[in-house]
Amino acid sequence: MLTAIIGYLGILVVIGSFRSRKVKTGDDFLVAGRTLPAHVLVFTLLATWIGSGSLFAGAGLGYRVGFPALWQSAGAWVGIALVYFIAPRVRRIAQYTVPDILELRYGPTARVLGTLTTVMAYATIAAYQFRGGGRLLAAVAGVDPDTGALITASFCIVYTALAGMLSIAYLDIGNGLLMTIAVGLGVGFMVSDAGGISVSLAALRPDQVSLFGTLGPQAAFALFLPTMFLLLGEANMYQKFFSAKSERAARRAVVAWIVGTILVETLIDSTGVLGSVAIAGLDTAASEEIVIRVATDVLPAAHGILLVCGAAAIIVSTANSFLLTPSTNLIRDVYQRFINPGITDRQVVLYTRIIVIVIGALGYAAGNFFPTILAMALWAYTMYGAGITPALLGALIWKRATRLGGVSSILMGMLT
C-alpha cells in the first residue's frame, strides 16, 4: 500500500511540474488566469472541501454515533445550496481574495482583520491534513505518526509552492474521481459482504440509525452550524469562483458540487458506521482511523489499495488549497496592498511560494496543540465561521451593512 501511495503522489508531482511551466503571471498562480470551466471547478471544489475533517473526524464520529454524524456534513450541504445564489455575484466582482471583498465594503481595517482570521483558521485546517497524513502512513507503513505528519507536511508544502491554482485545479479532477470511486467501492464491498443493505442496517444499534442518536439535538447543531458558516464564507471556494471562466460556469459548478459532496461525505461516514461492526471496540482516537483500518483489515487488497490512494488524494488536495489561500491573502492583502503596491507578477509568484512554506511550518506546529482532528476542525470552522462569514455575507447581500458593523463583526467573532 505504501508503494501505491508513493506512486500516486509521484504522478501528481510529475503532472504538477509539467503544468507549472504554464504559470506565467500572478493571475495564473493565484486564480488560474480566470479560465476554469464548470467541470474543472466541480472537482477542485469537491477535492478541496472533502479533506481530513471528513476522512478522519467525520468517519470517526460515524464510527462512534452512527448516521447522526451526518449532521456535521449536512451543514456543508445547506451552505452549498445557499452559495448557489451567491456564486455568480462573486465571479462578477472578479477579485482575488475574500479580504478584497471585505475592503470594498468595509475599508482597509476589515482587509487586515480578515486576513489574520483566515491565516489562523486555514493554517489549522492545513495542520490536520498533515496529521491525517501521519496517521495514514502509520497505518499502512508503521511510520511514527509525528514523523508521518512531517513527511506529509513537507510534500504538501513543496507541491503547493510548485503548482499554484492553475495546476491544483486540473489535478483535482483526478483526485476527485479517485476519492469518489474509492469510497464507493469500499462501502459497496462492506454492504455486499454483510449480505445486503437490510442486513447491514440490522447489525447496527438503534441509536446509530436515528435522527440525533446519542448526540442529542444540541450537539447535532453544534456540529451543523460551524460547518455551514465555514462553507458560506470559505475563502478557497471564493478564490475558485474568482478563477471561473464565467458567472454561468460558477453557478453550474455549484449544482454538481452539492451532489458530489452529499455523495462522497455520506459514503465516508458510512464507512465509519459500517466499520463499527466490522472492527469493534476502538476508542475515540483510534476510531478516527477507521477508514484506513477498513482499507488494511477489511477490504480485499485491490480495494484497500484504491481506498488508501483515495485517502492520500483527499489529504493532499485539501492541504494544497488551505496552504495557497492564506498565502495569497498575506501577499495580496497585506504586502501588495500596504507595503509594495508595485510588486511584479514574478515577485507575486515567488513571494507567495515563500509564504506557502511559512504557513505550512506554522500549521505543522499548530497541530501539536489539539487532542483530535475533530477538535482541530471545529476550532478552525468556528474561528472562520464567526470571524468572516457574517461580515462577508453582509458585504455581498445586505445593502445596510456599515463599515463599523463589518469591522466589529470580524473583530468580535475572531476574539470570541
Side-chain angles (χ1 to χ4, degrees), residues 79-100:
I80 297 172
L82 295 173
V83 164
Y84 175 82
F85 301 98
I86 301 173
R89 183 176 302 181
V90 173
R91 177 59 185 86
R92 195 178 310 134
I93 294 172
Q95 296 296 319
Y96 292 86
T97 66
V98 164
D100 277 335

Side-chain angles (χ1 to χ4, degrees), residues 296-318:
T296 57
D297 301 342
V298 177
L299 300 181
H303 285 180
I305 289 172
L306 191 64
L307 186 55
V308 295
C309 287
I314 288 171
I315 292 166
V316 170
S317 61
T318 304

Side-chain angles (χ1 to χ4, degrees), residues 63-64 281-288:
Y63 180 95
R64 298 189 298 275
L282 300 181
D283 60 20
T284 299
S287 69
E288 289 196 332

Side-chain angles (χ1 to χ4, degrees), residues 96-401:
Y96 292 86
T97 66
V98 164
D100 277 335
I101 299 175
L102 295 176
E103 184 178 16
L104 283 174
R105 189 63 182 274
Y106 307 123
T109 302
R111 178 188 285 270
V112 174
L113 290 175
T115 298
L116 179 61
T117 304
T118 301
V119 169
M120 287 192 292
Y122 280 28
T124 306
I125 294 175
Y128 67 72
Q129 310 309 315
F130 304 156
R131 285 185 63 176
R135 291 189 177 187
L136 175 62
L137 291 175
V140 303
V143 177
D144 176 76
D146 291 335
T147 303
L150 181 59
I151 293 171
T152 305
S154 300
F155 176 86
C156 292
I157 290 167
V158 171
Y159 180 72
T160 305
L162 171 71
M165 181 66 77
L166 189 62
S167 298
I168 288 171
Y170 280 91
L171 286 173
D172 279 345
I173 297 175
N175 288 333
L177 285 171
L178 178 60
M179 73 171 72
T180 304
I181 293 169
V183 293
L185 289 176
V187 171
F189 175 84
M190 286 193 289
V191 169
S192 176
D193 190 56
I197 294 177
S198 59
V199 177
S200 298
L201 294 177
L204 301 174
R205 303 186 310 268
D207 59 277
Q208 289 179 295
V209 292
S210 62
L211 182 60
F212 296 111
T214 56
L215 285 176
Q218 183 175 350
F221 282 100
L223 294 169
F224 176 90
L225 291 173
T227 309
M228 184 183 73
F229 278 95
L230 171 69
L231 193 288
L232 282 172
E234 218 276 276
N236 281 306
M237 172 187 69
Y238 286 96
Q239 189 170 348
K240 287 173 180 177
F241 288 153
F242 295 143
S243 305
K245 184 168 62 175
S246 64
E247 295 175 30
R248 183 169 180 267
R251 175 162 280 180
R252 287 176 59 199
V254 173
V255 175
W257 181 29
I258 189 171
V259 175
T261 302
I262 292 173
L263 174 64
V264 176
E265 289 197 327
T266 300
L267 288 171
I268 290 175
D269 281 12
S270 297
T271 303
V273 177
L274 298 175
S276 69
V277 177
I279 307 174
L282 300 181
D283 60 20
T284 299
S287 69
E288 289 196 332
E289 301 171 3
I290 186 59
V291 173
I292 310 305
R293 289 175 180 258
V294 165
T296 57
D297 301 342
V298 177
L299 300 181
H303 285 180
I305 289 172
L306 191 64
L307 186 55
V308 295
C309 287
I314 288 171
I315 292 166
V316 170
S317 61
T318 304
N320 290 341
S321 293
F322 281 94
L323 287 171
L324 183 60
T325 292
S327 303
T328 303
N329 289 166
L330 286 173
I331 291 300
R332 279 199 51 83
D333 299 315
V334 177
Y335 183 77
Q336 184 175 9
R337 175 64 178 83
F338 299 106
I339 300 172
N340 183 11
I343 188 173
T344 66
D345 275 338
R346 179 174 292 183
Q347 288 175 321
V348 167
V349 174
L350 174 61
Y351 295 169
T352 304
R353 284 172 166 159
I354 293 172
I355 295 298
V356 164
I357 297 171
V358 175
I359 293 291
L362 291 174
Y364 174 75
N368 297 314
F369 293 93
F370 295 87
T372 64
I373 289 176
L374 180 60
M376 296 176 77
L378 291 178
W379 187 91
Y381 289 11
T382 307
M383 167 63 75
Y384 193 88
I388 298 292
T389 301
L392 177 60
L393 293 179
L396 291 171
I397 64 177
W398 191 30
K399 293 182 179 180
R400 295 179 62 188

